[in-house]
Amino acid sequence: MLNRNNLKMKIGILVYKMSGVGGVERITAEKINAWIEIFGYDVVLITKNEKEAPFFYEVNKKCKRYNLNIHAKLRSGIKDYIKNIPQAFKLFLGLKNVMKSEKIDILFTTMRGIDSLVVPFAKVRVPKISEIHGSGFAHNEKAWFWKSLIINRYKKLVVLNKCEVDYYPLDNIAVIPNFIDNSDYNFSKHDKKNVIISAGRISREKQFDHLIDIWSLIASKYDQWEVHLYGDGPIDVFKNKIDELGIQKSFKIFPSTTEIKNKMQKASIFVLVSATEAFPMVLLEAMNAKLPIVSYDSPNGPKSIVTDGKDGFIVPLNNQTAFAEKLELLINDVSLRENFIENQEIKLDAFSKKRVMNQWNDLVLEVLNKK
């Protein structure tokens, strides 16, 4: 039997890239560092197509890196399967060669779609764990039966909350949430400004246009408050909408920043308006920065983090009027904001790095014992 105290292991982590900004990149970097610094394991990071850019999130220098340089994206759809064969085979060979040369003991991957169907066949004797960071709410149920035949070849499929289990008719599912390192922040009420903050990549599913509409409903009442949005992407349409609604003085968009923790610590309220979220890391970051939260009931992550009426508000999905009402409650009630912040302490402990990484380590030991 393997023992957690004397096991020397080499973990492989396969991702698309690490130079981007996002929850997947953030938690992947955090886990790499934890595997090395807490457990003393060797880690090999394998990227499919890493851009020639520095990683946005810091990764321990002991982590060994490989880039497979596969530029084409494997598209989904039956008509594209044959076209995808050469690129899929290149992914298969590249991954197999790295796993063989590095003698990897176990492989994690965050890949999705057709890419994820290639991975189980590379070095079949090495157990593989698939991490699902998006919500199954949006997956294609018609195609899922055929995909499940291959997905079952993974030793484990890890989802981020219990609600997600229902989307996957599989026998090899585990539930492990994301985590937050809450050891490095000293809260002071004097840090806080009249700022409502949100952050994330600028993409359709994040629905930041909703936030603009919501703020326009109440902005005229609160001329001492501002909304700050941090993210990269096509923002011109947003700026035009902000100008049209006449809220350009109070709704400001900034590029993604490595200082987002500091920006959150100086804000007073965090908001999330996504269409879907499996487990939004940004909500844990907001709690760690002592921010009461207003969030859409995005399937299915926010409600697994925020308890409505206790440490934040969960609003029916896409109900902008209800969202604006809850936002006004927090703006007008300092005591309510402080009460929510106090109630977040227990929640942060449940999602601590030590607690969650021990769950990951237990899963690794379980899988390797069954190899």
Side-chain angles (χ1 to χ4, degrees):
M1 296 289 287
L2 295 165
N3 186 297
R4 76 164 65 228
N5 296 318
N6 59 19
L7 176 63
K8 186 63 175 177
M9 181 170 23
K10 185 172 284 189
I11 291 176
I13 297 179
L14 173 67
V15 299
Y16 287 106
K17 59 184 178 64
M18 284 294 292
S19 57
V21 181
V24 176
E25 291 85 356
R26 168 72 180 273
I27 196 63
T28 298
E30 292 279 2
K31 281 194 279 193
I32 289 172
N33 297 339
W35 287 129
I36 295 171
E37 296 162 11
I38 298 176
F39 298 97
Y41 298 155
D42 293 329
V43 178
V44 178
L45 174 64
I46 309 165
T47 52
K48 181 182 176 183
N49 179 28
E50 190 61 74
K51 297 179 180 179
E52 292 184 3
F55 289 2
F56 195 83
Y57 305 104
E58 186 176 352
V59 171
N60 191 295
K61 293 180 181 179
K62 292 182 179 179
C63 176
K64 196 168 184 178
R65 304 177 187 177
Y66 287 86
N67 182 22
L68 300 181
N69 287 311
I70 301 174
H71 300 283
K73 181 178 180 180
L74 299 188
R75 295 173 293 175
S76 59
I78 295 176
K79 293 182 180 180
D80 291 312
Y81 272 42
I82 295 177
K83 296 179 182 179
N84 287 330
I85 289 175
Q87 294 299 327
F89 190 63
K90 187 175 180 180
L91 173 61
F92 165 78
L93 286 180
L95 177 59
K96 180 180 178 181
N97 289 337
V98 173
M99 293 178 69
K100 181 178 179 180
S101 65
E102 287 293 335
K103 298 181 180 179
I104 288 172
D105 295 301
I106 187 168
L107 181 79
F108 294 89
T109 184
T110 60
M111 286 189 166
R112 308 176 303 276
I114 299 174
D115 285 316
S116 69
L117 305 183
V118 174
V119 174
F121 300 100
K123 294 288 290 181
V124 294
R125 292 186 179 181
V126 176
K128 301 170 185 71
I129 296 176
S130 175
E131 301 179 31
I132 306 298
H133 287 269
S135 177
F137 177 82
H139 79 237
N140 186 339
E141 293 184 10
K142 293 181 179 179
W144 182 247
F145 173 78
W146 302 107
K147 291 179 181 179
S148 68
L149 300 178
I150 297 177
I151 297 298
N152 264 316
R153 288 178 170 267
Y154 284 96
K155 283 292 184 179
K156 288 289 181 179
L157 182 86
V158 180
V159 295
L160 293 167
N161 67 70
K162 293 180 181 178
C163 293
E164 291 296 315
V165 174
D166 295 336
Y167 293 118
Y168 302 98
L170 303 170
D171 300 323
N172 57 343
I173 293 186
V175 178
I176 303 178
N178 287 331
F179 61 80
I180 190 74
D181 187 350
N182 60 346
S183 61
D184 58 351
Y185 177 55
N186 295 316
F187 172 58
S188 171
K189 297 177 184 178
H190 303 295
D191 292 342
K192 300 299 185 181
K193 309 296 182 184
N194 289 343
V195 171
I196 299 157
I197 191 170
S198 193
R201 67 183 183 279
I202 307 297
S203 58
R204 180 179 297 177
E205 66 272 18
K206 297 301 181 182
Q207 297 194 151
F208 288 125
D209 57 318
H210 283 226
L211 183 55
I212 298 171
D213 288 329
I214 290 165
W215 182 240
S216 72
L217 296 175
I218 61 175
S220 61
K221 303 179 187 178
Y222 305 105
D223 57 3
Q224 299 301 311
W225 283 75
E226 293 182 355
V227 176
H228 292 182
L229 169 59
Y230 289 85
D232 294 326
I235 64 173
D236 289 343
V237 175
F238 288 171
K239 288 184 175 180
N240 291 336
K241 186 170 188 176
I242 291 167
D243 290 342
E244 289 172 2
L245 292 171
I247 54 174
Q248 60 270 28
K249 290 184 179 180
S250 61
F251 196 110
K252 300 178 181 179
I253 302 177
F254 303 94
S256 297
T257 173
T258 55
E259 299 297 316
I260 190 63
K261 181 188 298 183
N262 294 331
K263 303 299 183 183
M264 284 187 174
Q265 289 171 0
K266 294 177 182 178
S268 289
I269 301 170
F270 185 86
V271 290
L272 186 143
V273 289
S274 299
T276 65
E277 290 282 359
F279 194 97
M281 274 289 293
V282 71
L283 291 187
L284 291 184
E285 294 167 352
M287 284 187 172
N288 195 40
K290 312 301 181 185
L291 290 174
I293 292 164
V294 185
S295 172
Y296 274 159
D297 189 10
S298 315
N300 285 292
K303 63 187 175 186
S304 67
I305 300 174
V306 177
T307 302
D308 183 42
K310 186 174 183 179
D311 48 37
F313 287 125
I314 298 291
V315 176
L317 184 63
N318 297 334
N319 190 328
Q320 296 181 8
T321 301
F323 198 108
E325 290 172 354
K326 296 300 185 183
L327 188 54
E328 281 197 274
L329 280 178
L330 288 178
I331 290 174
N332 291 319
D333 195 335
V334 176
S335 296
L336 180 61
R337 299 204 303 264
E338 292 177 351
N339 185 52
F340 279 6
I341 290 168
E342 289 177 5
N343 292 336
Q344 290 172 353
E345 292 301 322
I346 296 175
K347 195 69 65 66
L348 285 172
D349 182 64
F351 297 123
S352 69
K353 178 190 287 189
K354 182 178 180 181
R355 184 185 294 271
V356 174
M357 282 307 301
N358 278 332
Q359 293 180 50
W360 277 108
N361 196 47
D362 288 343
L363 180 66
V364 166
L365 297 178
E366 174 194 341
V367 165
L368 290 178
N369 279 327
K370 292 182 178 181
K371 186 170 65 169

